[in-house]
Amino acid sequence: MATLAWARAAIGAASSALAAAVFAVLDVVDVVLCVVYAILDGILEESPVRCYCRNRPEPEPEPEGMSDTLYARRSAIRDALLGLVVRRRRRRRTPAVKWRSSPRWSDCACKSCVAWQQGRGERLHVVVKEPDPSTKGFSGITLLAFFANAASGTSAVFIHGFTSSSSFWAETVFREGSSLLHSSTRLLAVDLLGFGQSPKPGNCMYTLKDHVEAIERTLLIDPPPHNNLMSSFHLVGHSMGCIIALALAAKHPTRVKSITLVAPPYFLACEEKAASQVALHRLAEKKLWPPLLFGSAVMSWYEHIGRTVCLVLCKNHLLWEWLLRLLTRKRDVDFRVRDLTRHTHHSAWHTMHNVIYGGAALQDANLEAVQAAAIPVMLIHGVDDHVVPVDCSRHHLKAKLPRAHLRLVPGCDHTTVVSGRERGFAHELTAFWSSAGCSLPISISQSIVRVP
């Protein structure tokens, strides 16, 4: 027994040492890339944008909603190297974030990626599934047609997670579980600002407020004479989408009929760290295993390495998609793979820090508003989720929202809690919407049941 414990301790120490060595190398690489991109941006961009490698500039106020994690990504090696770089470039001051064109030279400028600049304005891309009484199914309609009929029936707004799009819902629940959903409920899945086919402005900091206001402009508030597009609606969010759903509900408590949070990230602040820092260290801990955690750590801690990944994958996504179709001999690329490249580094980097990490500091106030408004809440979490720990729902959120329905799904991870069990997920939604006061013509148990 003692030998086994010693072996485990030795393996743990070796793993920690290897991780420290790997991330030390990444620190050096990121600083080198910082210099490289500063030179290239100065040559290729009219108004280069300062990165977040150096300390927060005190005289220059930051836009509201900016996360402290953008600047608080420190390591001894990184700080020492950056100190040398800053001393050499002290007289060359790069400007703060300014209004600039999009895309940047390192972003994709293909027809599909810049289509949002052609006539849509500031509205998000939305996939709408309208109930079709003649077929008992759903048929896609345009957003303009939705606006014309928004006052009638009940709507449900689905919000996707990080580096995803409306396809996460449209290709799963909308397609496979539509027969179980309310025959008079209109289903809407949005592409969040900066993702999928929605606008990706270069002058936006992609704060939580920015994302909420983008949804409001698209679905909730229309210029006069039509001020309110939906008088009431259900909200369904996955992962990062849960943070945005809670902020939207806290702002419109009288219009939200229910909230379903799937794999919601929620971390409590401690004496040593703010909630944003706790979220950063829990969701992007510097470990080599599992691979998803390692990838999250690299993209969260290293701004310029992340930009390089986007330069290779996102800027050249048409090439990668062609290669995948050639190798798999399939006509279409899987939507999960496609969604990984449908953003800019600017939109992904700022959304990750200002919503996922920075939004953690705003969660308590939003949860209190939801609790005060007595909005019904359902929590769904995969027991095997290695991206967002199941304790976020099982302990933290359940303690904050004691009246919330808690549904733990054995054998499911961060994605398969929805994908692969679409009909079961749709069954849970209909049961919950029924218990939340939505009269359903479908005969379903009013309790939240475990569905395989």
Side-chain angles (χ1 to χ4, degrees):
M1 202 70 176
T3 304
L4 182 60
W6 180 87
R8 288 178 176 173
I11 293 173
S15 177
S16 298
L18 179 60
V22 169
F23 283 103
V25 172
L26 293 177
D27 285 334
V28 176
V29 172
D30 199 60
V31 173
V32 172
L33 288 174
C34 175
V35 177
V36 171
Y37 281 121
I39 295 172
L40 291 176
D41 290 346
I43 297 172
L44 300 174
E45 293 185 349
E46 181 180 350
S47 179
V49 179
R50 182 186 60 236
C51 66
Y52 296 95
C53 291
R54 286 170 282 172
N55 292 327
R56 187 192 299 265
E58 294 297 337
E60 300 174 6
E62 291 287 352
E64 181 185 356
M66 297 287 281
S67 173
D68 63 332
T69 59
L70 286 164
Y71 293 98
R73 298 169 291 110
R74 291 283 165 258
S75 76
I77 296 176
R78 178 195 186 95
D79 289 347
L81 291 174
L82 283 173
L84 294 175
V85 172
V86 170
R87 279 197 294 271
R88 285 181 176 272
R89 302 178 68 244
R90 183 174 295 172
R91 294 184 180 181
R92 295 181 59 191
R93 181 177 178 81
T94 54
V97 176
K98 291 184 177 180
W99 288 76
R100 55 180 170 79
S101 61
S102 181
R104 303 179 71 177
W105 68 268
S106 54
D107 296 333
C108 182
C110 73
K111 185 177 180 180
S112 62
C113 288
V114 299
W116 62 270
Q117 297 176 338
Q118 310 299 321
R120 189 188 301 152
E122 297 181 332
R123 291 196 186 279
L124 303 179
H125 174 76
V126 183
V127 174
V128 184
K129 287 291 185 179
E130 187 75 20
D132 186 353
S134 63
T135 62
K136 302 299 183 183
F138 289 82
S139 59
I141 62 169
T142 66
L143 193 57
L144 289 177
F146 159 70
F147 289 155
N149 299 285
S152 61
T154 302
S155 300
V157 179
F158 291 73
I159 306 175
H160 64 79
F162 187 61
T163 62
S164 186
S165 76
S166 56
S167 297
F168 180 82
W169 301 109
E171 298 293 333
T172 56
V173 178
F174 287 16
R175 184 185 296 273
E176 302 295 333
S178 60
S179 61
L180 285 176
L181 293 172
H182 194 332
S183 62
S184 64
T185 298
R186 187 178 295 109
L187 308 180
L188 304 99
V190 300
D191 282 354
L192 290 173
L193 187 67
F195 296 88
Q197 298 181 52
S198 282
K200 303 171 183 65
N203 60 306
C204 178
M205 291 295 100
Y206 296 90
T207 63
L208 182 57
K209 180 182 178 182
D210 291 329
H211 283 285
V212 170
E213 290 180 348
I215 295 176
E216 288 176 328
R217 285 193 302 268
T218 306
L219 297 179
L220 303 185
I221 302 174
D222 199 33
H226 306 292
N227 293 321
N228 291 320
L229 296 178
M230 289 192 294
S231 59
S232 65
F233 54 93
H234 300 282
L235 277 173
V236 183
H238 174 251
S239 192
M240 180 190 76
C242 298
I243 300 174
I244 299 172
L246 284 170
L248 188 63
K251 195 170 181 180
H252 302 277
T254 60
R255 298 167 70 177
V256 176
K257 297 173 70 68
S258 74
I259 310 172
T260 301
L261 305 177
V262 185
Y266 176 64
F267 298 94
L268 303 175
C270 59
E271 293 182 1
E272 298 82 10
K273 297 176 183 176
S276 56
Q277 290 292 325
V278 173
L280 173 63
H281 286 82
R282 288 294 303 274
L283 296 176
E285 188 177 2
K286 289 186 175 181
K287 287 186 175 181
L288 302 180
W289 194 264
L292 278 176
L293 183 59
F294 174 70
S296 178
V298 171
M299 299 304 287
S300 298
W301 289 89
Y302 301 104
E303 179 179 2
H304 303 289
I305 293 177
R307 186 177 177 184
T308 303
V309 172
C310 286
L311 175 62
V312 173
L313 296 181
C314 301
K315 186 176 178 66
N316 302 290
H317 70 90
L318 293 178
L319 172 62
W320 295 115
E321 290 172 11
W322 176 80
L323 288 173
L324 281 174
R325 287 194 295 267
L326 185 66
L327 292 173
T328 60
R329 297 183 179 181
K330 293 182 178 180
R331 180 177 298 179
D332 297 319
V333 177
D334 186 272
F335 73 89
R336 287 169 286 245
V337 176
R338 185 179 66 243
D339 286 347
L340 288 174
T341 63
R342 290 299 197 270
H343 58 265
T344 64
H345 175 256
H346 181 80
S347 66
W349 174 258
H350 287 92
T351 296
M352 176 170 54
H353 281 277
N354 292 334
V355 176
I356 299 178
Y357 304 138
L362 307 174
Q363 289 254 59
D364 283 343
N366 293 334
L367 288 169
E368 289 169 4
V370 168
Q371 180 79 347
I375 302 174
V377 177
M378 176 167 65
L379 309 173
I380 303 178
H381 217 122
V383 175
D384 297 337
D385 193 332
H386 297 295
V387 177
V388 177
V390 68
D391 283 349
C392 287
S393 292
R394 180 166 50 192
H395 297 309
H396 301 163
L397 273 173
K398 184 60 177 173
K400 196 73 177 179
L401 300 172
R403 295 197 299 268
H405 299 270
L406 176 62
R407 165 83 169 91
L408 302 180
V409 188
C412 289
D413 58 25
H414 195 66
T415 302
T416 58
V417 71
V418 174
S419 179
R421 55 179 297 273
E422 293 87 355
R423 292 183 65 82
F425 183 80
H427 183 99
E428 293 162 359
L429 281 182
T430 53
F432 177 57
W433 289 348
S434 176
S435 66
C438 180
S439 177
L440 292 178
I442 304 173
S443 178
I444 290 178
S445 170
Q446 297 301 300
S447 61
I448 305 302
V449 297
R450 291 182 177 268
V451 181

